Amino acid sequence: MKQIEVVAAIIRKGGSTFATQRGYGEWKDWWEFPGGKMEAGETPEEALVREIREELSAEISVDEFLCTVEYDYPQFHLTMHCYLCSLVTEALHLNEHEAARWLTKEQLDSVDWLPADVKVVESIKQKQVL
C-alpha cells in the first residue's frame, strides 16, 4: 500500500481552532486541518511553515507537538504529524480551500471531518488544548 507522510497545523486563536474545507479531489467538501506533504530534507516543523504559507498566505509559529495519526484510506496509508500552532500574521487567505471556519471546542463536531482528522479532533478534546 502506498505510504503518504503529511503534517497538519492546529491553528489556535482565542479558544478556537482553524478548520478548512477541501475544494478538490475525492474528498471535496470534507473538512481538515491545513497542512500537506513533507518534502525531502524538511523537518515536520519546516514543512508546516511552508505549507501554511502556500495554502493560507500566513505565517505561523509551531508551538507544540500534539499527536501522530496513522490511518488507512482505501488507496494509501496516511501518517499525519499534528502540531499546535499560532498565527504570527493575522491575515489568512484561502489559496486552495473552498471555505474555512474558526471552531470552538463545542463546535468541533459541527463539520464533516476527513476520517484521519476525526482522530485529531479526539486528541484536541482529550488534551483540552483549546
Side-chain angles (χ1 to χ4, degrees), residues 8 17 27 37 42 47 82 105 112 116 122 127:
T17 187
W27 295 95
K37 293 179 185 168
E42 278 184 322
C82 307
K105 184 178 176 183
D112 291 324
E122 291 169 5
K127 297 181 182 182

Side-chain angles (χ1 to χ4, degrees), residues 5-11 18 20 22 24 32-38 44 47-56 60 80-81 96-97 117:
E5 188 171 16
V6 299
V7 289
I10 292 69
I11 302 171
F18 191 69
T20 53
R22 289 179 72 91
Y24 59 91
E32 65 185 349
F33 294 101
K37 293 179 185 168
M38 295 172 58
L48 207 44
V49 168
R50 177 186 51 75
E51 283 288 343
I52 298 306
R53 191 177 298 135
E54 290 172 4
E55 290 184 11
L56 300 171
I60 59 166
M80 181 167 61
H81 308 289
E96 297 180 14
H97 295 93
D117 290 77

Side-chain angles (χ1 to χ4, degrees), residues 6-119:
V6 299
V7 289
I10 292 69
I11 302 171
R12 302 172 299 161
K13 182 174 85 169
S16 295
T17 187
F18 191 69
T20 53
Q21 187 178 33
R22 289 179 72 91
Y24 59 91
E26 178 184 351
W27 295 95
K28 182 183 180 332
D29 296 330
W30 289 70
W31 290 79
E32 65 185 349
F33 294 101
K37 293 179 185 168
M38 295 172 58
E39 293 180 356
E42 278 184 322
T43 66
E45 295 87 351
E46 290 168 340
L48 207 44
V49 168
R50 177 186 51 75
E51 283 288 343
I52 298 306
R53 191 177 298 135
E54 290 172 4
E55 290 184 11
L56 300 171
S57 298
E59 298 297 324
I60 59 166
S61 68
V62 180
D63 302 326
E64 181 184 342
F65 174 76
L66 176 65
C67 64
T68 294
V69 171
E70 301 282 345
Y71 190 85
D72 286 322
Y73 282 96
Q75 293 84 9
F76 59 91
H77 176 80
L78 180 74
T79 300
M80 181 167 61
H81 308 289
C82 307
Y83 291 82
L84 301 175
C85 301
S86 50
L87 290 172
V88 173
T89 55
E90 287 297 314
L92 292 164
H93 183 268
L94 299 182
N95 297 325
E96 297 180 14
H97 295 93
E98 191 171 334
R101 289 188 199 161
W102 285 100
L103 301 172
T104 64
K105 184 178 176 183
E106 296 75 30
Q107 295 169 323
L108 284 172
D109 295 326
S110 69
V111 299
D112 291 324
W113 292 101
L114 286 167
D117 290 77
V118 168
K119 295 181 178 294

